[in-house]
Each structure stands twice: as C-alpha cells, then as structure tokens.
Amino acid sequence: MSTRFGVRWFAVSAKMLVVGRRPARALPSRYSGSERPIVTTTTTYPVQPLLSARRRWTVLAVCCLSMFLVGMDTTIVNVGLPAIGRGLSVGIHGLEWTVDAYTIVLASLLISSGALADRFGRRRVFQSGLMVFGAASMVCAVTPSVGALIAARAVQGVGASMLSPVALAIVVDAMPDPRERAQAIGVWASVFGLSMAVGPVTGGALVAGFGWRSLFWINAPVVVIALVLSAVFVPESRGSRTRRLDVLGQLLLTVVIGACVGVLIEGPRIGWASPAVLAGYGVAAMATVGFLSVESRHPEPLMDPGLFRNPLFNSAVLGAVAVFVALNVTLLLNTLYLQHARGVTPLAAGVATLPMAVGATVCAPWSGRLVGRTGPRPPLVLAGGFIIAGALCLVGIDRHTSVALLLFAYLLIGIGFGFANAPITNTAVSGLPPARAGVAGAITSTARQLGAALGIALAGGLVAHADPAGLAQASRPGWLLVASCGLLLLLTAHASRSRK
C-alpha cells in the first residue's frame, strides 16, 4: 500500500512540475464569433530548496563577516579621532560629524535598503552594498580635508545600509527552524557585539602602527573576501511580497534624523537659542509632522505607524536605541578621557576596551540560548542591570581614577551589551511576518544607528568645550546617561513579559 501511494505521489508531483514550467495556455472558450477567449497567466518562481546544515551555517558566517565590517567601522574610527583631528586640523565638533555622517545616512536608508532587497534580490543588494562601502572606504583613506572625509563617510553609510538588514534577512531565510534561527541570531549578535567592542582595539593598533588612514584601508581586503564568499555560498532570495518605495517618506525620515542629530552637535558650539539652532528645531518638528502624515496615508509606508501600536515591537525599537546610545557614549568618552585627560596612546586607549569586547563576545551567544529557552525578558534584565552597574562605577570619575575600576566598569557594560542584542533582534524579527524579514531587520538596525548617532552627539556636546584638566568632570553626566539607558532596558524587559 505504501509503495503504491509513493508511486502515485511521485507521478502527481512530476505532473505538477511539468505543468508549472509550461507557458500559459488559453482556457477552453465557451464563446463564439468575435469574442476572444479568456487567457490566464501565472508567474511562478522556483522554490528555494532547504539548504544543508553546513551550507546554512556557512551563509551565516558570510553574513556575519559583513556585519563585522559594518559594526567595526562604526567604532574603529572613535579611537582614531584625536589623530584625525591633528592630521586634518579639526576640533571635536568636526570629529563628531566625521562619525555621525556615517551613522545618520546609515540609519536613514536601512529600511529602504531592506525593501529594495526584498524586491530585487537580497544577494544582489548585499553585493552592491559591499562594493559601494569598499569604494567609499578607499576615498576616506586618501581624503585631503575634513569636508571630503565627512562626504566620503556619508557614502560609506549608503553602502553599509545595504549590508546590515539585508544580511539578517538572508540569515532568517536560510534558517527556517525557529530554534535554529534563535541560535543563529545569538551568533549574529555575538559577532556584532564583538565588532563594535573590538573596533577601538583594532583602531588603536592601526593608528599606532600605520597612521589614521589605515582605519579605512583595512576595509579593502575584508570587502573582497566577503564578495567572493557571497558569490559562492549565498543563495539569492526575495520577499514573497514586494512593496513600492516610499520616496517622500524616505526623504522626510532623512531630514528628521539629520536635523535632530545636527541640533545636538551644533547646539553646544553656537548656542541652544541661536537662530541656526532654532531653525533646526523648526525643521525637525515640521519634518516629523510631515513624516507621520505621509506614513499614515501611504498605502505601503516606509515605516508603518500601525507597527508601533504593538508593545513588543515598540520595546524592541526603544531598547535598540538605548543600547547604542549607551555604547557610543561609553566609547567616545573613553577615547577622549584617556587620550586627552590622561595622555595615553591610541593603542592603550583601544586596549582599555578589551574587557568590553570580552564581555560582549562571551555573553551574546549565552543570551541567544536564553532567548530560545526562556524568551527575551531574562537577558534584557541582565543587560539593564550590568549596564547600570558599570555606569555607576564611573559617575565620580576624575583624572586619577584607578585603571582597575575603569576596566571593571567597561567589563560590566560589555556584558550588558552582549546580553541586550539577541533579545532585541529576536523580538523585532518575530514581530513581523517572515516575508518581511528585510524590513524587520531594517527597522531594528535603524533604531541602533539612530542610537549611535545620538550617543556621539550627546557625548561630544558634554565635553566639546572642556580642557584636558576638566574633561573627566565634564564627562560625568554622560555616565548618568548610560545608567539611564540601562534603566530603559529594564523597562523594556517589563514590557516583554507577556511574550511566550
């Protein structure tokens, strides 16, 4: 009986396969005379076969390589900022724009890049992003002025926007099993945490050995390797339902992010009540109102306002912003404090963040396993608690704070960062249909990069006018800000308690 059933199943399957490959035919017509028969056509796409376990994890490794590149480039420049300032004769104000030109563009374009990938092919957009990122990195390495560097960093952000959410969508598509996907996201978060925390160490070594321009030359071999591996191992995939681009919404979102971050950067320098800053307030407010109006009326909005009625999705987005504000405030304050207030070398300033890298790397996979077993709440509670503890260690920082206390505080913050990413990413991806994985990853990544831009702007504003002797005291409110971000993660954990 089972043999006959198997033969019959094979025959039916083969017949369906053949029919699916034939051109569309006219249905038998019941009409006569000049009436034309009804013709139906069906567009069929080949179903992506399930990849082997080895191939799935190879795809994850390739995508993690690109994520490592994007994450490291977000922080590797931080430790080289004093050297860039000396080389191009620019102060902290210009250095903030060097970092935030990248993150503003990256944050603004992530959602559109995810939608483009769902429409035109994720591997194709992924590889295009690698090429743009690599070319812009080469321009950064040879730029003669800070203006050209800021412009090239913005183009780098365009390329990076095609990597982060698209790579996550590729991983989600390759991992159909929910438990395996949770483990993969844990690895993803581990690599991302490692890249963000290792960036300053790598940057310090490069600046000490080869100068600040090597911070950008280092991207070239990584881009080439990622391009080759993606061509060999990463299958092409698309969203099952593509959507139209929301061009007006994209432009307004860019204006909102750029205006808000610009006000935070320029306010301490030219005055919070200066005409330019007041104009910035107005532009940000009008762009925000316009963005909300456009998104509420657009049939396929860039950022669906209805998504933010979901408490779980809201908590993931707010948590992502908080984590990256805390991380970037920590990294920038560390760089300026150690190099300006204590006069240490870029390499030593980078090495000081090693405990942060270790904490993030060790705890991120553990966090992924916890999410798979217990849900997002326990790792979020741990993340918030460790970040608060690390920040409170440094609220009384001065020029003579012990190195042991600094390293211990960075370790605690790194552990918190490691625990945070997996539950935030998993919650955001699970909050949308699987076919919209590119959009889900893009929204979360947008929140991360917005947090990074805000963190740099806020930390830079605190110490912009401080001399080396007073820089430690000027940075103390920054550590209270980091502690507040940890508190927000605790609130995020409370909001996620209903998730099963």
Side-chain angles (χ1 to χ4, degrees):
M1 182 66 181
S2 60
T3 303
R4 290 178 59 194
F5 178 79
V7 171
R8 185 177 179 185
W9 178 87
F10 180 84
V12 171
S13 301
K15 183 177 180 181
M16 291 175 65
L17 224 74
V18 172
V19 170
R21 291 180 179 174
R22 287 177 183 166
R25 297 185 302 168
L27 294 177
S29 177
R30 296 179 295 171
Y31 301 98
S32 60
S34 60
E35 294 178 288
R36 299 180 63 185
I38 300 174
V39 178
T40 61
T41 58
T42 304
T43 304
T44 58
Y45 296 96
V47 178
Q48 180 68 37
L50 180 65
L51 303 177
S52 66
R54 178 179 295 181
R55 180 78 177 275
R56 292 197 298 274
W57 290 95
T58 302
V59 169
L60 173 64
V62 175
C63 292
C64 283
L65 179 62
S66 74
M67 196 65 236
F68 186 88
L69 184 68
V70 173
M72 187 174 69
D73 204 75
T74 303
T75 59
I76 194 174
V77 177
N78 279 334
V79 76
L81 289 177
I84 294 174
R86 290 190 297 269
L88 298 178
S89 301
V90 62
I92 291 179
H93 165 259
L95 297 176
E96 287 182 77
W97 279 115
T98 299
V99 178
D100 273 351
Y102 174 81
T103 51
I104 288 172
V105 174
L106 177 54
S108 301
L109 297 181
L110 283 168
I111 300 176
S112 289
S113 294
L116 285 172
D118 286 343
R119 175 183 292 271
F120 296 109
R122 291 164 181 156
R123 185 178 67 178
R124 180 181 299 173
V125 172
F126 178 76
Q127 291 175 325
S128 299
L130 284 171
M131 290 186 283
V132 172
F133 185 90
S137 297
M138 299 303 96
V139 176
C140 289
V142 299
T143 185
S145 66
V146 67
L149 178 60
I150 291 172
R153 288 281 288 167
V155 178
Q156 260 193 318
V158 174
S161 73
M162 304 181 199
L163 300 179
S164 175
V166 178
L168 180 59
I170 292 172
V171 170
V172 171
D173 185 74
M175 304 280 185
D177 178 67
R179 183 175 294 275
E180 187 179 52
R181 185 186 304 141
Q183 293 173 349
I185 289 175
V187 174
W188 171 275
S190 176
V191 172
F192 188 67
L194 176 65
S195 69
M196 296 286 287
V198 164
V201 183
T202 307
L206 289 172
V207 171
F210 306 100
W212 67 266
R213 295 184 186 274
S214 62
L215 298 174
F216 304 104
W217 285 119
I218 192 65
N219 292 333
V222 181
V223 167
V224 171
I225 292 171
L227 279 170
V228 172
L229 293 178
S230 64
V232 174
F233 295 108
V234 177
E236 185 59 281
S237 62
R238 291 177 174 84
S240 60
R241 178 183 176 274
T242 58
R243 61 195 184 108
R244 292 176 293 174
L245 292 179
D246 179 8
V247 178
L248 182 56
Q250 175 64 79
L251 291 174
L252 289 170
L253 178 63
T254 304
V255 173
V256 170
I257 295 176
C260 291
V261 175
V263 164
L264 290 174
I265 292 176
E266 298 292 340
R269 184 177 70 90
I270 63 177
W272 295 106
S274 64
V277 171
L278 291 176
Y281 298 149
V283 170
M286 287 188 294
T288 300
V289 172
F291 178 73
L292 295 175
S293 175
V294 168
E295 298 305 279
S296 63
R297 299 178 182 180
H298 198 282
E300 293 180 301
L302 180 75
M303 191 179 293
D304 184 2
L307 292 175
F308 294 93
R309 299 189 188 101
N310 183 332
L312 293 180
F313 190 79
N314 261 344
S315 67
V317 172
L318 292 175
V321 173
V323 168
F324 276 75
V325 167
L327 177 66
N328 283 271
V329 168
T330 298
L331 292 176
L332 186 59
L333 291 183
N334 166 74
T335 293
L336 298 177
Y337 167 74
L338 290 179
Q339 294 189 56
H340 287 174
R342 301 188 67 150
V344 306
T345 65
L347 179 58
V351 170
T353 64
L354 269 177
M356 187 184 303
V358 171
T361 305
V362 170
C363 294
W366 186 11
S367 177
R369 291 192 292 271
L370 279 176
V371 170
R373 291 200 304 265
T374 65
R377 190 182 185 189
L380 282 173
V381 170
L382 291 171
F386 277 107
I387 288 176
I388 291 172
L392 292 180
C393 288
L394 300 178
V395 292
I397 193 171
D398 57 35
R399 295 185 68 181
H400 307 291
T401 297
S402 70
V403 174
L405 180 60
L406 287 173
L407 298 181
F408 180 65
Y410 296 156
L411 173 63
L412 294 178
I413 293 173
I415 291 173
F417 181 69
F419 274 117
N421 274 300
I424 288 172
T425 303
N426 189 271
T427 300
V429 172
S430 301
L432 291 178
R436 301 290 296 280
V439 176
I443 292 174
T444 311
S445 296
T446 297
R448 288 192 179 103
Q449 296 306 324
L450 175 60
L454 292 175
I456 293 295
L458 291 168
L462 290 173
V463 300
H465 301 294
D467 56 24
L471 193 145
Q473 185 173 358
S475 69
R476 290 175 183 174
W479 298 114
L480 290 175
L481 175 61
V482 173
S484 299
C485 292
L487 180 60
L488 184 56
L489 281 179
L490 294 181
L491 296 176
T492 301
H494 178 72
S496 68
R497 70 189 185 279
S498 62
R499 186 177 178 218
K500 302 299 182 184

PDB file of all heavy atoms in Angstrom, residues 228-242:
ATOM      1  N   VAL A 228      33.645  37.543  -2.639  1.00  0.00           N
ATOM      2  CA  VAL A 228      33.912  36.213  -3.200  1.00  0.00           C
ATOM      3  C   VAL A 228      33.056  35.160  -2.501  1.00  0.00           C
ATOM      4  O   VAL A 228      32.407  34.316  -3.150  1.00  0.00           O
ATOM      5  CB  VAL A 228      35.408  35.873  -3.077  1.00  0.00           C
ATOM      6  CG1 VAL A 228      35.667  34.420  -3.473  1.00  0.00           C
ATOM      7  CG2 VAL A 228      36.245  36.817  -3.944  1.00  0.00           C
ATOM      8  N   LEU A 229      33.022  35.184  -1.169  1.00  0.00           N
ATOM      9  CA  LEU A 229      32.266  34.173  -0.426  1.00  0.00           C
ATOM     10  C   LEU A 229      30.769  34.279  -0.683  1.00  0.00           C
ATOM     11  O   LEU A 229      30.076  33.258  -0.779  1.00  0.00           O
ATOM     12  CB  LEU A 229      32.557  34.316   1.068  1.00  0.00           C
ATOM     13  CG  LEU A 229      33.978  33.977   1.524  1.00  0.00           C
ATOM     14  CD1 LEU A 229      34.139  34.212   3.018  1.00  0.00           C
ATOM     15  CD2 LEU A 229      34.339  32.535   1.178  1.00  0.00           C
ATOM     16  N   SER A 230      30.251  35.500  -0.791  1.00  0.00           N
ATOM     17  CA  SER A 230      28.812  35.655  -1.054  1.00  0.00           C
ATOM     18  C   SER A 230      28.447  35.135  -2.434  1.00  0.00           C
ATOM     19  O   SER A 230      27.360  34.562  -2.623  1.00  0.00           O
ATOM     20  CB  SER A 230      28.401  37.116  -0.911  1.00  0.00           C
ATOM     21  OG  SER A 230      29.046  37.931  -1.877  1.00  0.00           O
ATOM     22  N   ALA A 231      29.342  35.308  -3.416  1.00  0.00           N
ATOM     23  CA  ALA A 231      29.070  34.799  -4.758  1.00  0.00           C
ATOM     24  C   ALA A 231      29.050  33.276  -4.789  1.00  0.00           C
ATOM     25  O   ALA A 231      28.300  32.666  -5.555  1.00  0.00           O
ATOM     26  CB  ALA A 231      30.117  35.333  -5.735  1.00  0.00           C
ATOM     27  N   VAL A 232      29.842  32.647  -3.943  1.00  0.00           N
ATOM     28  CA  VAL A 232      29.964  31.183  -3.956  1.00  0.00           C
ATOM     29  C   VAL A 232      28.899  30.510  -3.094  1.00  0.00           C
ATOM     30  O   VAL A 232      28.305  29.501  -3.489  1.00  0.00           O
ATOM     31  CB  VAL A 232      31.374  30.767  -3.478  1.00  0.00           C
ATOM     32  CG1 VAL A 232      31.478  29.245  -3.350  1.00  0.00           C
ATOM     33  CG2 VAL A 232      32.437  31.295  -4.435  1.00  0.00           C
ATOM     34  N   PHE A 233      28.618  31.064  -1.913  1.00  0.00           N
ATOM     35  CA  PHE A 233      27.826  30.332  -0.930  1.00  0.00           C
ATOM     36  C   PHE A 233      26.427  30.884  -0.665  1.00  0.00           C
ATOM     37  O   PHE A 233      25.555  30.134  -0.212  1.00  0.00           O
ATOM     38  CB  PHE A 233      28.576  30.282   0.412  1.00  0.00           C
ATOM     39  CG  PHE A 233      29.850  29.502   0.362  1.00  0.00           C
ATOM     40  CD1 PHE A 233      31.080  30.153   0.405  1.00  0.00           C
ATOM     41  CD2 PHE A 233      29.828  28.123   0.269  1.00  0.00           C
ATOM     42  CE1 PHE A 233      32.258  29.437   0.352  1.00  0.00           C
ATOM     43  CE2 PHE A 233      31.014  27.385   0.223  1.00  0.00           C
ATOM     44  CZ  PHE A 233      32.224  28.047   0.259  1.00  0.00           C
ATOM     45  N   VAL A 234      26.187  32.159  -0.893  1.00  0.00           N
ATOM     46  CA  VAL A 234      24.904  32.754  -0.508  1.00  0.00           C
ATOM     47  C   VAL A 234      23.897  32.614  -1.636  1.00  0.00           C
ATOM     48  O   VAL A 234      24.129  33.120  -2.744  1.00  0.00           O
ATOM     49  CB  VAL A 234      25.076  34.239  -0.136  1.00  0.00           C
ATOM     50  CG1 VAL A 234      23.718  34.869   0.182  1.00  0.00           C
ATOM     51  CG2 VAL A 234      26.017  34.385   1.056  1.00  0.00           C
ATOM     52  N   PRO A 235      22.769  31.938  -1.409  1.00  0.00           N
ATOM     53  CA  PRO A 235      21.749  31.825  -2.460  1.00  0.00           C
ATOM     54  C   PRO A 235      20.953  33.119  -2.585  1.00  0.00           C
ATOM     55  O   PRO A 235      20.835  33.895  -1.634  1.00  0.00           O
ATOM     56  CB  PRO A 235      20.857  30.682  -1.953  1.00  0.00           C
ATOM     57  CG  PRO A 235      20.981  30.758  -0.460  1.00  0.00           C
ATOM     58  CD  PRO A 235      22.382  31.221  -0.177  1.00  0.00           C
ATOM     59  N   GLU A 236      20.419  33.358  -3.763  1.00  0.00           N
ATOM     60  CA  GLU A 236      19.566  34.525  -3.969  1.00  0.00           C
ATOM     61  C   GLU A 236      18.205  34.271  -3.347  1.00  0.00           C
ATOM     62  O   GLU A 236      17.695  33.149  -3.357  1.00  0.00           O
ATOM     63  CB  GLU A 236      19.410  34.805  -5.472  1.00  0.00           C
ATOM     64  CG  GLU A 236      18.640  36.082  -5.800  1.00  0.00           C
ATOM     65  CD  GLU A 236      19.284  37.317  -5.214  1.00  0.00           C
ATOM     66  OE1 GLU A 236      19.087  37.547  -3.988  1.00  0.00           O
ATOM     67  OE2 GLU A 236      19.963  38.054  -5.953  1.00  0.00           O
ATOM     68  N   SER A 237      17.616  35.292  -2.772  1.00  0.00           N
ATOM     69  CA  SER A 237      16.288  35.171  -2.180  1.00  0.00           C
ATOM     70  C   SER A 237      15.591  36.524  -2.266  1.00  0.00           C
ATOM     71  O   SER A 237      16.238  37.566  -2.368  1.00  0.00           O
ATOM     72  CB  SER A 237      16.363  34.717  -0.716  1.00  0.00           C
ATOM     73  OG  SER A 237      17.052  35.669   0.077  1.00  0.00           O
ATOM     74  N   ARG A 238      14.265  36.478  -2.233  1.00  0.00           N
ATOM     75  CA  ARG A 238      13.442  37.683  -2.277  1.00  0.00           C
ATOM     76  C   ARG A 238      12.285  37.530  -1.303  1.00  0.00           C
ATOM     77  O   ARG A 238      11.953  36.420  -0.884  1.00  0.00           O
ATOM     78  CB  ARG A 238      12.873  37.913  -3.684  1.00  0.00           C
ATOM     79  CG  ARG A 238      13.906  38.295  -4.733  1.00  0.00           C
ATOM     80  CD  ARG A 238      13.244  38.421  -6.103  1.00  0.00           C
ATOM     81  NE  ARG A 238      14.165  38.930  -7.104  1.00  0.00           N
ATOM     82  CZ  ARG A 238      15.028  38.191  -7.773  1.00  0.00           C
ATOM     83  NH1 ARG A 238      15.099  36.886  -7.536  1.00  0.00           N
ATOM     84  NH2 ARG A 238      15.833  38.740  -8.677  1.00  0.00           N
ATOM     85  N   GLY A 239      11.673  38.636  -0.963  1.00  0.00           N
ATOM     86  CA  GLY A 239      10.460  38.577  -0.173  1.00  0.00           C
ATOM     87  C   GLY A 239       9.325  38.038  -1.020  1.00  0.00           C
ATOM     88  O   GLY A 239       9.252  38.301  -2.228  1.00  0.00           O
ATOM     89  N   SER A 240       8.418  37.291  -0.404  1.00  0.00           N
ATOM     90  CA  SER A 240       7.311  36.721  -1.175  1.00  0.00           C
ATOM     91  C   SER A 240       6.349  37.816  -1.651  1.00  0.00           C
ATOM     92  O   SER A 240       5.620  37.621  -2.622  1.00  0.00           O
ATOM     93  CB  SER A 240       6.545  35.710  -0.317  1.00  0.00           C
ATOM     94  OG  SER A 240       6.016  36.344   0.839  1.00  0.00           O
ATOM     95  N   ARG A 241       6.384  38.951  -0.977  1.00  0.00           N
ATOM     96  CA  ARG A 241       5.558  40.089  -1.388  1.00  0.00           C
ATOM     97  C   ARG A 241       6.412  41.343  -1.337  1.00  0.00           C
ATOM     98  O   ARG A 241       6.915  41.721  -0.291  1.00  0.00           O
ATOM     99  CB  ARG A 241       4.347  40.247  -0.463  1.00  0.00           C
ATOM    100  CG  ARG A 241       3.480  41.455  -0.812  1.00  0.00           C
ATOM    101  CD  ARG A 241       2.338  41.598   0.188  1.00  0.00           C
ATOM    102  NE  ARG A 241       1.556  42.794  -0.074  1.00  0.00           N
ATOM    103  CZ  ARG A 241       1.864  43.995   0.402  1.00  0.00           C
ATOM    104  NH1 ARG A 241       2.942  44.151   1.156  1.00  0.00           N
ATOM    105  NH2 ARG A 241       1.108  45.047   0.127  1.00  0.00           N
ATOM    106  N   THR A 242       6.620  41.958  -2.475  1.00  0.00           N
ATOM    107  CA  THR A 242       7.416  43.184  -2.523  1.00  0.00           C
ATOM    108  C   THR A 242       6.501  44.399  -2.423  1.00  0.00           C
ATOM    109  O   THR A 242       5.306  44.326  -2.701  1.00  0.00           O
ATOM    110  CB  THR A 242       8.216  43.262  -3.832  1.00  0.00           C
ATOM    111  OG1 THR A 242       7.321  43.205  -4.947  1.00  0.00           O
ATOM    112  CG2 THR A 242       9.191  42.104  -3.922  1.00  0.00           C
TER     113      THR A 242
END
